[in-house]
Amino acid sequence: MAVHSIEQAVASSSRAYVLPPGFRPSYGTAGFRAVADLLHSTMFRCGILMAARALKTQQVTGICITASHNPAPDNGVKLVEPSGEMLCQDWESYANDLATAQTDAELAKRVMALLAAEGIPATGPALVMVAHDTRPSGPELAAAFADGVRCLGAQVQMCGLLTTPQLHWMVMSRNLGAPWAESDYYSALAGAYQRLVAGTQPLGQPLYMDCANGVAAPKMAALATALAAAGAPLALHLLNTGEGVLNGGCGSDFLQKDRQLPSNFQGVPPGARCCAVDGDSDRLMYFTPLQEAGGRALLFDGDRIACLSAMLLKDLISQLPPAAQDVSVGIIQTAYANGAASRYIRDNLGCSVEVTPTGVKYLHEAAHHFDVGVYFEANGHGTVLFSKTLLARLEQLKEESRAAFELLALAVVINQAVGDALSGILLVEAALRRKGWGLDQWAALYTDLPSRQLKVTVADRAAIVTTDAETRVSQPAGLQAAIDAAVAAVPNGRSFVRPSGTEDVVRVYAEAETQDAADGLAATVARLVHARAGGVGPAP
Ligand code: 16G
Ligand code: MG
């Protein structure tokens, strides 16, 4: 398309997608998110952006339209690089530039500036894949996105309903020249799972899965069919499959925040193996109903999934031929990792630990520093990344070494593009099955230190600036010294604060030897934030 016709196409198509007055979208930790009614212009503009990214890289890009664990009336975007990873951070500023242009003409100018700055040819084949979660606003927003893609003369493939990680996997596979259809996803994961659990006994009890009333329900059902066809059936009870409200009283976020059983789990027997995912199925939490009254749950969070994964990896690596055992395994965590988990990894697993700021993109990047990078946020986002060099070495060994063959299967079971709850379930199930473990043995690895999270509303959360992977505050001056003093007064205490990337609040985390001490420390630190960082409303 000629340059002037692109400018015209953008300016004229943009008339149908007016930026709502006063709406100032900002690319947060994982993309744009807001009430769905506000997002049509943002979607259209993201369509232009991802078409430009496809033209620039000469590869397929993608978008998943989802607001993840947010309430059902919200929506948002997760933008997918050709590698299947999240949009590269260099391009986030373009995303903001386009999303915030005030007029059609200004948008067209900013698009032309982007194309010029990146040396993007005005013509060329380009394809963008689009999927959405179960939110009612998804199809309409997908159409707005598609209109944006077409402004640059690129093609759109509407993939309909998918989990976020499925779309990431499909983009990655397609660019690698591998089978990439949704059905290929199921057969690849199921076949690899079968190879991992061959010769081991089924766990004996069914897995109860909370699908958060979202996209995971139909997709897990399809995966279960593929598992049965591959000869490795998984006994499953799917709950919260869409009869209730998306993420309403259920899902991994609800479970982690409240440690209460999700809706419809009241009849599930104490001790049963249960798991929960979020609205777009990129977060996973295992749990079990506790015996005591009150509907409480014992959680097996991202830290514990990381430990189990690292154990499985270490076991397999130790079975490789001696000359091939030199494999670096790193575990990537955030400051939210429970202190007991970090200590367990250091003292018992002998893996390196790296701490990054919150947000999948930071952990994912750090995971590339190792032959195998295991990254999980405590909230259940994560995966295990294998380096290309290691995969090539394993390929050469797979005929002579069963462990190499199984490590390769593990690399297929675990989504290599992005954290994936469905593939995470297969990882956990395979790890437990291979050890012959129930939840009791998994729980016995370590005991979590009691912790508490609080939110504080301040006039401007950007007033809080952090360093050292969000473990320390550099601004406002004096706040860190006050937090240090509060922490020093609590045995085994730890606390940090950070501005949220998804909500207009400052988050406070504290842990200590007892729940009372953790609660007290969190409350003290919340008051310090309120007093020194412009707290709004009554002090906590
Ligand atoms: C987003 C991030 C997640 C992070 C969370 C923190 C992705 C795909 N998701 O959900 O990794 O833990 O934000 O939220 O990156 P917060 O900044 O509000 O605490
Ligand atoms: Mg999610």
Short mmCIF file of all heavy atoms in Angstrom, two decimals, residues 336-397:
data_model
loop_
_atom_site.label_atom_id
_atom_site.label_comp_id
_atom_site.label_asym_id
_atom_site.label_seq_id
_atom_site.Cartn_x
_atom_site.Cartn_y
_atom_site.Cartn_z
N TYR A 336 7.40 -11.66 45.91
CA TYR A 336 6.25 -12.32 46.55
C TYR A 336 6.51 -13.78 46.89
O TYR A 336 5.68 -14.40 47.55
CB TYR A 336 5.03 -12.25 45.62
CG TYR A 336 4.42 -10.89 45.53
CD1 TYR A 336 4.53 -10.13 44.38
CD2 TYR A 336 3.71 -10.36 46.61
CE1 TYR A 336 3.97 -8.87 44.29
CE2 TYR A 336 3.14 -9.10 46.53
CZ TYR A 336 3.27 -8.35 45.37
OH TYR A 336 2.71 -7.11 45.30
N ALA A 337 7.63 -14.35 46.42
CA ALA A 337 7.89 -15.75 46.74
C ALA A 337 7.99 -15.89 48.25
O ALA A 337 8.68 -15.10 48.92
CB ALA A 337 9.18 -16.20 46.09
N ASN A 338 7.35 -16.90 48.78
CA ASN A 338 7.39 -17.10 50.23
C ASN A 338 8.82 -17.41 50.67
O ASN A 338 9.52 -18.18 50.01
CB ASN A 338 6.44 -18.24 50.61
CG ASN A 338 6.19 -18.29 52.10
OD1 ASN A 338 7.00 -18.84 52.85
ND2 ASN A 338 5.11 -17.66 52.53
N GLY A 339 9.25 -16.80 51.78
CA GLY A 339 10.62 -16.98 52.27
C GLY A 339 10.96 -18.45 52.48
O GLY A 339 12.10 -18.87 52.26
N ALA A 340 9.97 -19.26 52.88
CA ALA A 340 10.23 -20.68 53.13
C ALA A 340 10.55 -21.39 51.81
O ALA A 340 11.39 -22.30 51.78
CB ALA A 340 9.02 -21.32 53.80
N ALA A 341 9.88 -20.99 50.73
CA ALA A 341 10.14 -21.62 49.43
C ALA A 341 11.54 -21.26 48.95
O ALA A 341 12.30 -22.12 48.50
CB ALA A 341 9.10 -21.14 48.41
N SER A 342 11.90 -19.98 49.09
CA SER A 342 13.23 -19.56 48.64
C SER A 342 14.31 -20.31 49.41
O SER A 342 15.32 -20.74 48.84
CB SER A 342 13.41 -18.06 48.82
OG SER A 342 12.34 -17.38 48.22
N ARG A 343 14.08 -20.47 50.72
CA ARG A 343 15.07 -21.17 51.55
C ARG A 343 15.16 -22.64 51.11
O ARG A 343 16.24 -23.21 51.00
CB ARG A 343 14.69 -21.07 53.03
CG ARG A 343 15.80 -21.57 53.95
CD ARG A 343 15.55 -21.24 55.41
NE ARG A 343 15.02 -19.90 55.61
CZ ARG A 343 13.96 -19.62 56.38
NH1 ARG A 343 13.35 -20.58 57.05
NH2 ARG A 343 13.54 -18.39 56.51
N TYR A 344 14.01 -23.26 50.84
CA TYR A 344 14.01 -24.66 50.41
C TYR A 344 14.81 -24.84 49.11
O TYR A 344 15.61 -25.76 48.98
CB TYR A 344 12.56 -25.15 50.23
CG TYR A 344 12.51 -26.57 49.75
CD1 TYR A 344 12.67 -27.63 50.63
CD2 TYR A 344 12.38 -26.86 48.39
CE1 TYR A 344 12.68 -28.94 50.18
CE2 TYR A 344 12.38 -28.17 47.93
CZ TYR A 344 12.53 -29.20 48.83
OH TYR A 344 12.55 -30.50 48.38
N ILE A 345 14.59 -23.92 48.18
CA ILE A 345 15.28 -24.02 46.88
C ILE A 345 16.79 -23.91 47.09
O ILE A 345 17.58 -24.68 46.56
CB ILE A 345 14.79 -22.91 45.93
CG1 ILE A 345 13.33 -23.17 45.54
CG2 ILE A 345 15.67 -22.83 44.68
CD1 ILE A 345 12.65 -22.00 44.89
N ARG A 346 17.18 -22.93 47.91
CA ARG A 346 18.61 -22.69 48.15
C ARG A 346 19.25 -23.87 48.87
O ARG A 346 20.26 -24.39 48.45
CB ARG A 346 18.73 -21.43 49.02
CG ARG A 346 19.90 -20.55 48.67
CD ARG A 346 19.92 -19.28 49.52
NE ARG A 346 19.42 -19.44 50.87
CZ ARG A 346 18.38 -18.75 51.38
NH1 ARG A 346 17.76 -17.86 50.63
NH2 ARG A 346 17.98 -18.94 52.62
N ASP A 347 18.59 -24.34 49.95
CA ASP A 347 19.23 -25.34 50.81
C ASP A 347 19.05 -26.76 50.31
O ASP A 347 19.89 -27.62 50.57
CB ASP A 347 18.66 -25.25 52.24
CG ASP A 347 18.94 -23.88 52.86
OD1 ASP A 347 19.74 -23.14 52.27
OD2 ASP A 347 18.36 -23.58 53.91
N ASN A 348 17.94 -27.07 49.64
CA ASN A 348 17.66 -28.46 49.30
C ASN A 348 17.77 -28.78 47.82
O ASN A 348 18.05 -29.91 47.46
CB ASN A 348 16.26 -28.86 49.78
CG ASN A 348 16.13 -28.74 51.27
OD1 ASN A 348 16.09 -27.65 51.80
ND2 ASN A 348 16.11 -29.86 51.95
N LEU A 349 17.49 -27.82 46.96
CA LEU A 349 17.50 -28.14 45.54
C LEU A 349 18.81 -27.74 44.88
O LEU A 349 19.14 -28.20 43.80
CB LEU A 349 16.34 -27.46 44.82
CG LEU A 349 14.94 -27.96 45.21
CD1 LEU A 349 13.87 -27.18 44.44
CD2 LEU A 349 14.81 -29.44 44.93
N GLY A 350 19.54 -26.84 45.55
CA GLY A 350 20.83 -26.41 45.00
C GLY A 350 20.70 -25.72 43.65
O GLY A 350 21.59 -25.85 42.81
N CYS A 351 19.61 -25.03 43.41
CA CYS A 351 19.46 -24.29 42.14
C CYS A 351 19.79 -22.82 42.39
O CYS A 351 19.64 -22.33 43.50
CB CYS A 351 18.02 -24.33 41.64
SG CYS A 351 17.41 -25.96 41.24
N SER A 352 20.21 -22.12 41.33
CA SER A 352 20.37 -20.67 41.46
C SER A 352 18.99 -20.04 41.53
O SER A 352 18.05 -20.53 40.90
CB SER A 352 21.07 -20.07 40.25
OG SER A 352 21.97 -20.96 39.70
N VAL A 353 18.90 -18.95 42.28
CA VAL A 353 17.64 -18.22 42.35
C VAL A 353 17.88 -16.80 41.85
O VAL A 353 18.85 -16.16 42.25
CB VAL A 353 17.11 -18.16 43.80
CG1 VAL A 353 15.82 -17.35 43.86
CG2 VAL A 353 16.86 -19.54 44.35
N GLU A 354 17.02 -16.33 40.94
CA GLU A 354 17.06 -14.93 40.51
C GLU A 354 15.74 -14.29 40.89
O GLU A 354 14.69 -14.95 40.78
CB GLU A 354 17.23 -14.82 38.99
CG GLU A 354 18.65 -14.53 38.56
CD GLU A 354 18.75 -14.15 37.09
OE1 GLU A 354 18.04 -13.23 36.64
OE2 GLU A 354 19.57 -14.78 36.41
N VAL A 355 15.78 -13.04 41.33
CA VAL A 355 14.55 -12.33 41.68
C VAL A 355 14.37 -11.19 40.69
O VAL A 355 15.31 -10.45 40.42
CB VAL A 355 14.62 -11.79 43.12
CG1 VAL A 355 13.33 -11.07 43.48
CG2 VAL A 355 14.87 -12.94 44.10
N THR A 356 13.18 -11.08 40.13
CA THR A 356 12.90 -10.00 39.17
C THR A 356 11.67 -9.22 39.66
O THR A 356 10.95 -9.68 40.53
CB THR A 356 12.56 -10.54 37.76
OG1 THR A 356 11.26 -11.14 37.81
CG2 THR A 356 13.57 -11.56 37.27
N PRO A 357 11.43 -8.05 39.04
CA PRO A 357 10.18 -7.36 39.34
C PRO A 357 8.98 -8.21 38.94
O PRO A 357 9.11 -9.15 38.13
CB PRO A 357 10.24 -6.09 38.48
CG PRO A 357 11.68 -5.91 38.15
CD PRO A 357 12.27 -7.29 38.11
N THR A 358 7.81 -7.88 39.48
CA THR A 358 6.56 -8.56 39.16
C THR A 358 6.21 -8.39 37.68
O THR A 358 6.42 -7.33 37.12
CB THR A 358 5.45 -7.92 40.01
OG1 THR A 358 5.83 -8.07 41.38
CG2 THR A 358 4.11 -8.58 39.79
N GLY A 359 5.64 -9.44 37.10
CA GLY A 359 5.23 -9.37 35.69
C GLY A 359 5.94 -10.44 34.88
O GLY A 359 7.17 -10.56 34.94
N VAL A 360 5.14 -11.20 34.15
CA VAL A 360 5.66 -12.35 33.42
C VAL A 360 6.84 -11.98 32.52
O VAL A 360 7.82 -12.72 32.43
CB VAL A 360 4.53 -12.98 32.58
CG1 VAL A 360 5.06 -13.93 31.54
CG2 VAL A 360 3.54 -13.68 33.49
N LYS A 361 6.76 -10.80 31.88
CA LYS A 361 7.82 -10.47 30.91
C LYS A 361 9.20 -10.42 31.57
O LYS A 361 10.19 -10.78 30.95
CB LYS A 361 7.50 -9.16 30.20
CG LYS A 361 7.35 -7.97 31.10
CD LYS A 361 6.73 -6.80 30.35
CE LYS A 361 6.46 -5.65 31.29
NZ LYS A 361 5.55 -4.67 30.71
N TYR A 362 9.26 -10.00 32.83
CA TYR A 362 10.56 -9.91 33.50
C TYR A 362 11.09 -11.30 33.86
O TYR A 362 12.27 -11.60 33.73
CB TYR A 362 10.47 -9.04 34.75
CG TYR A 362 9.96 -7.65 34.46
CD1 TYR A 362 8.74 -7.22 34.95
CD2 TYR A 362 10.70 -6.78 33.64
CE1 TYR A 362 8.26 -5.94 34.66
CE2 TYR A 362 10.22 -5.51 33.35
CZ TYR A 362 9.00 -5.10 33.86
OH TYR A 362 8.53 -3.86 33.57
N LEU A 363 10.19 -12.14 34.37
CA LEU A 363 10.61 -13.50 34.76
C LEU A 363 11.03 -14.30 33.53
O LEU A 363 12.02 -15.02 33.54
CB LEU A 363 9.48 -14.22 35.49
CG LEU A 363 9.16 -13.69 36.89
CD1 LEU A 363 7.86 -12.92 36.88
CD2 LEU A 363 9.07 -14.81 37.91
N HIS A 364 10.22 -14.14 32.48
CA HIS A 364 10.47 -14.90 31.25
C HIS A 364 11.85 -14.56 30.69
O HIS A 364 12.61 -15.44 30.31
CB HIS A 364 9.37 -14.54 30.24
CG HIS A 364 9.33 -15.43 29.04
ND1 HIS A 364 8.52 -16.54 28.96
CD2 HIS A 364 10.02 -15.38 27.87
CE1 HIS A 364 8.70 -17.12 27.79
NE2 HIS A 364 9.60 -16.43 27.10
N GLU A 365 12.16 -13.27 30.70
CA GLU A 365 13.46 -12.83 30.18
C GLU A 365 14.60 -13.44 31.01
O GLU A 365 15.56 -13.95 30.46
CB GLU A 365 13.50 -11.30 30.29
CG GLU A 365 14.59 -10.63 29.54
CD GLU A 365 14.39 -9.10 29.61
OE1 GLU A 365 13.68 -8.57 28.76
OE2 GLU A 365 14.93 -8.48 30.54
N ALA A 366 14.45 -13.44 32.32
CA ALA A 366 15.51 -13.97 33.19
C ALA A 366 15.66 -15.48 33.02
O ALA A 366 16.75 -16.03 33.17
CB ALA A 366 15.22 -13.62 34.65
N ALA A 367 14.55 -16.16 32.69
CA ALA A 367 14.61 -17.62 32.53
C ALA A 367 15.55 -18.01 31.39
O ALA A 367 16.11 -19.10 31.38
CB ALA A 367 13.22 -18.18 32.29
N HIS A 368 15.74 -17.09 30.44
CA HIS A 368 16.65 -17.38 29.32
C HIS A 368 18.11 -17.40 29.75
O HIS A 368 18.98 -17.75 28.96
CB HIS A 368 16.47 -16.32 28.21
CG HIS A 368 15.22 -16.51 27.40
ND1 HIS A 368 14.88 -17.69 26.82
CD2 HIS A 368 14.22 -15.64 27.08
CE1 HIS A 368 13.73 -17.55 26.16
NE2 HIS A 368 13.31 -16.32 26.32
N HIS A 369 18.42 -17.00 31.00
CA HIS A 369 19.82 -17.00 31.45
C HIS A 369 20.33 -18.40 31.75
O HIS A 369 21.50 -18.57 32.08
CB HIS A 369 19.99 -16.15 32.73
CG HIS A 369 19.61 -14.72 32.54
ND1 HIS A 369 19.30 -13.88 33.58
CD2 HIS A 369 19.48 -13.98 31.42
CE1 HIS A 369 18.98 -12.69 33.10
NE2 HIS A 369 19.08 -12.73 31.79
N PHE A 370 19.45 -19.41 31.71
CA PHE A 370 19.84 -20.77 32.12
C PHE A 370 19.55 -21.78 31.01
O PHE A 370 18.76 -21.49 30.11
CB PHE A 370 19.05 -21.16 33.38
CG PHE A 370 19.26 -20.22 34.53
CD1 PHE A 370 18.41 -19.13 34.71
CD2 PHE A 370 20.34 -20.38 35.39
CE1 PHE A 370 18.61 -18.23 35.75
CE2 PHE A 370 20.55 -19.48 36.43
CZ PHE A 370 19.69 -18.40 36.61
N ASP A 371 20.16 -22.97 31.13
CA ASP A 371 19.79 -24.06 30.19
C ASP A 371 18.32 -24.38 30.40
O ASP A 371 17.58 -24.61 29.46
CB ASP A 371 20.64 -25.30 30.45
CG ASP A 371 22.10 -25.08 30.10
OD1 ASP A 371 22.36 -24.36 29.11
OD2 ASP A 371 22.98 -25.59 30.82
N VAL A 372 17.92 -24.44 31.67
CA VAL A 372 16.50 -24.59 31.98
C VAL A 372 16.14 -23.52 33.01
O VAL A 372 16.73 -23.46 34.09
CB VAL A 372 16.16 -25.96 32.60
CG1 VAL A 372 14.65 -26.14 32.62
CG2 VAL A 372 16.79 -27.09 31.82
N GLY A 373 15.21 -22.67 32.67
CA GLY A 373 14.76 -21.61 33.58
C GLY A 373 13.35 -21.92 34.05
O GLY A 373 12.43 -22.02 33.24
N VAL A 374 13.21 -22.13 35.36
CA VAL A 374 11.89 -22.41 35.93
C VAL A 374 11.38 -21.10 36.50
O VAL A 374 11.99 -20.56 37.42
CB VAL A 374 12.01 -23.43 37.09
CG1 VAL A 374 10.64 -23.72 37.71
CG2 VAL A 374 12.68 -24.71 36.62
N TYR A 375 10.31 -20.57 35.95
CA TYR A 375 9.83 -19.32 36.54
C TYR A 375 8.36 -19.43 36.91
O TYR A 375 7.55 -19.91 36.13
CB TYR A 375 10.11 -18.12 35.63
CG TYR A 375 9.20 -17.90 34.43
CD1 TYR A 375 7.97 -17.27 34.58
CD2 TYR A 375 9.61 -18.26 33.16
CE1 TYR A 375 7.16 -17.02 33.47
CE2 TYR A 375 8.81 -18.02 32.06
CZ TYR A 375 7.58 -17.41 32.22
OH TYR A 375 6.78 -17.18 31.14
N PHE A 376 8.08 -19.06 38.13
CA PHE A 376 6.68 -19.00 38.59
C PHE A 376 6.53 -17.84 39.55
O PHE A 376 7.34 -17.68 40.46
CB PHE A 376 6.27 -20.30 39.29
CG PHE A 376 5.92 -21.41 38.34
CD1 PHE A 376 6.87 -22.34 37.98
CD2 PHE A 376 4.65 -21.49 37.80
CE1 PHE A 376 6.56 -23.35 37.08
CE2 PHE A 376 4.33 -22.50 36.90
CZ PHE A 376 5.29 -23.43 36.53
N GLU A 377 5.49 -17.05 39.34
CA GLU A 377 5.11 -16.09 40.38
C GLU A 377 4.29 -16.86 41.40
O GLU A 377 3.62 -17.84 41.06
CB GLU A 377 4.27 -14.97 39.78
CG GLU A 377 5.05 -14.08 38.84
CD GLU A 377 4.25 -12.88 38.36
OE1 GLU A 377 3.10 -13.05 37.91
OE2 GLU A 377 4.77 -11.77 38.45
N ALA A 378 4.32 -16.37 42.66
CA ALA A 378 3.54 -17.05 43.69
C ALA A 378 2.07 -17.16 43.27
O ALA A 378 1.39 -18.15 43.58
CB ALA A 378 3.66 -16.29 45.01
N ASN A 379 1.58 -16.18 42.49
CA ASN A 379 0.17 -16.19 42.10
C ASN A 379 -0.16 -17.20 41.00
O ASN A 379 -1.30 -17.28 40.55
CB ASN A 379 -0.28 -14.78 41.68
CG ASN A 379 0.46 -14.27 40.44
OD1 ASN A 379 1.02 -15.04 39.67
ND2 ASN A 379 0.45 -12.96 40.25
N GLY A 380 0.83 -17.97 40.56
CA GLY A 380 0.53 -19.08 39.65
C GLY A 380 0.85 -18.87 38.19
O GLY A 380 0.63 -19.75 37.37
N HIS A 381 1.39 -17.68 37.82
CA HIS A 381 1.85 -17.47 36.45
C HIS A 381 3.21 -18.12 36.30
O HIS A 381 4.11 -17.82 37.08
CB HIS A 381 2.13 -15.98 36.21
CG HIS A 381 0.96 -15.17 35.84
ND1 HIS A 381 0.30 -15.30 34.68
CD2 HIS A 381 0.34 -14.16 36.49
CE1 HIS A 381 -0.68 -14.43 34.60
NE2 HIS A 381 -0.69 -13.72 35.70
N GLY A 382 3.43 -18.90 35.25
CA GLY A 382 4.79 -19.37 35.05
C GLY A 382 4.91 -20.54 34.12
O GLY A 382 3.91 -21.12 33.67
N THR A 383 6.15 -20.87 33.80
CA THR A 383 6.42 -22.03 32.96
C THR A 383 7.88 -22.44 33.15
O THR A 383 8.57 -21.91 34.02
CB THR A 383 6.08 -21.71 31.48
OG1 THR A 383 6.07 -22.93 30.72
CG2 THR A 383 7.06 -20.76 30.83
N VAL A 384 8.34 -23.39 32.33
CA VAL A 384 9.72 -23.85 32.40
C VAL A 384 10.28 -23.74 30.99
O VAL A 384 9.74 -24.33 30.06
CB VAL A 384 9.77 -25.33 32.86
CG1 VAL A 384 11.21 -25.82 32.90
CG2 VAL A 384 9.11 -25.49 34.22
N LEU A 385 11.34 -22.95 30.84
CA LEU A 385 11.90 -22.72 29.50
C LEU A 385 13.18 -23.52 29.30
O LEU A 385 14.07 -23.50 30.14
CB LEU A 385 12.23 -21.24 29.31
CG LEU A 385 11.08 -20.26 29.22
CD1 LEU A 385 11.62 -18.88 28.85
CD2 LEU A 385 10.03 -20.72 28.21
N PHE A 386 13.26 -24.19 28.17
CA PHE A 386 14.46 -24.95 27.80
C PHE A 386 15.22 -24.15 26.74
O PHE A 386 14.61 -23.68 25.78
CB PHE A 386 14.07 -26.31 27.20
CG PHE A 386 13.58 -27.30 28.22
CD1 PHE A 386 12.36 -27.13 28.86
CD2 PHE A 386 14.34 -28.42 28.53
CE1 PHE A 386 11.90 -28.04 29.80
CE2 PHE A 386 13.89 -29.34 29.47
CZ PHE A 386 12.68 -29.15 30.10
N SER A 387 16.55 -24.05 26.90
CA SER A 387 17.32 -23.31 25.88
C SER A 387 17.42 -24.16 24.61
O SER A 387 17.36 -25.39 24.66
CB SER A 387 18.72 -22.98 26.40
OG SER A 387 19.51 -24.17 26.39
N LYS A 388 17.59 -23.47 23.48
CA LYS A 388 17.69 -24.18 22.20
C LYS A 388 18.90 -25.11 22.20
O LYS A 388 18.86 -26.21 21.66
CB LYS A 388 17.83 -23.16 21.07
CG LYS A 388 16.56 -22.38 20.82
CD LYS A 388 16.57 -21.77 19.41
CE LYS A 388 15.24 -21.12 19.09
NZ LYS A 388 14.88 -20.04 20.01
N THR A 389 20.01 -24.65 22.83
CA THR A 389 21.21 -25.48 22.87
C THR A 389 20.95 -26.78 23.62
O THR A 389 21.35 -27.85 23.19
CB THR A 389 22.34 -24.74 23.62
OG1 THR A 389 22.02 -23.36 23.66
CG2 THR A 389 23.69 -24.98 23.05
N LEU A 390 20.27 -26.66 24.76
CA LEU A 390 20.00 -27.87 25.53
C LEU A 390 19.09 -28.81 24.73
O LEU A 390 19.32 -30.03 24.68
CB LEU A 390 19.35 -27.53 26.88
CG LEU A 390 18.95 -28.75 27.71
CD1 LEU A 390 20.19 -29.58 28.09
CD2 LEU A 390 18.20 -28.36 28.97
N LEU A 391 18.06 -28.26 24.09
CA LEU A 391 17.15 -29.11 23.32
C LEU A 391 17.92 -29.86 22.22
O LEU A 391 17.69 -31.05 21.99
CB LEU A 391 16.02 -28.27 22.71
CG LEU A 391 14.99 -27.73 23.72
CD1 LEU A 391 13.99 -26.82 23.03
CD2 LEU A 391 14.26 -28.88 24.43
N ALA A 392 18.86 -29.16 21.59
CA ALA A 392 19.65 -29.81 20.52
C ALA A 392 20.50 -30.93 21.11
O ALA A 392 20.60 -32.02 20.53
CB ALA A 392 20.52 -28.77 19.81
N ARG A 393 21.08 -30.69 22.28
CA ARG A 393 21.90 -31.74 22.93
C ARG A 393 21.04 -32.95 23.29
O ARG A 393 21.44 -34.09 23.12
CB ARG A 393 22.54 -31.18 24.21
CG ARG A 393 23.89 -30.51 23.96
CD ARG A 393 24.32 -29.60 25.11
NE ARG A 393 24.39 -30.27 26.41
CZ ARG A 393 24.45 -29.62 27.57
NH1 ARG A 393 24.44 -28.30 27.60
NH2 ARG A 393 24.52 -30.28 28.70
N LEU A 394 19.84 -32.67 23.79
CA LEU A 394 18.95 -33.77 24.20
C LEU A 394 18.51 -34.59 22.98
O LEU A 394 18.40 -35.81 23.05
CB LEU A 394 17.74 -33.22 24.95
CG LEU A 394 18.05 -32.57 26.30
CD1 LEU A 394 16.81 -31.87 26.86
CD2 LEU A 394 18.56 -33.60 27.31
N GLU A 395 18.27 -33.89 21.87
CA GLU A 395 17.87 -34.58 20.63
C GLU A 395 18.92 -35.63 20.26
O GLU A 395 18.60 -36.73 19.84
CB GLU A 395 17.73 -33.58 19.47
CG GLU A 395 16.39 -32.89 19.38
CD GLU A 395 15.23 -33.84 19.07
OE1 GLU A 395 15.44 -34.89 18.44
OE2 GLU A 395 14.10 -33.51 19.49
N GLN A 396 20.19 -35.23 20.42
CA GLN A 396 21.27 -36.16 20.04
C GLN A 396 21.36 -37.35 20.98
O GLN A 396 21.86 -38.41 20.61
CB GLN A 396 22.61 -35.43 20.05
CG GLN A 396 22.72 -34.50 18.85
CD GLN A 396 24.05 -33.79 18.81
OE1 GLN A 396 24.79 -33.77 19.80
NE2 GLN A 396 24.36 -33.19 17.68
N LEU A 397 20.88 -37.15 22.21
CA LEU A 397 21.02 -38.21 23.22
C LEU A 397 19.79 -39.09 23.34
O LEU A 397 19.82 -40.10 24.04
CB LEU A 397 21.25 -37.55 24.60
CG LEU A 397 22.60 -36.92 24.87
CD1 LEU A 397 22.54 -36.12 26.17
CD2 LEU A 397 23.65 -38.02 24.99
#
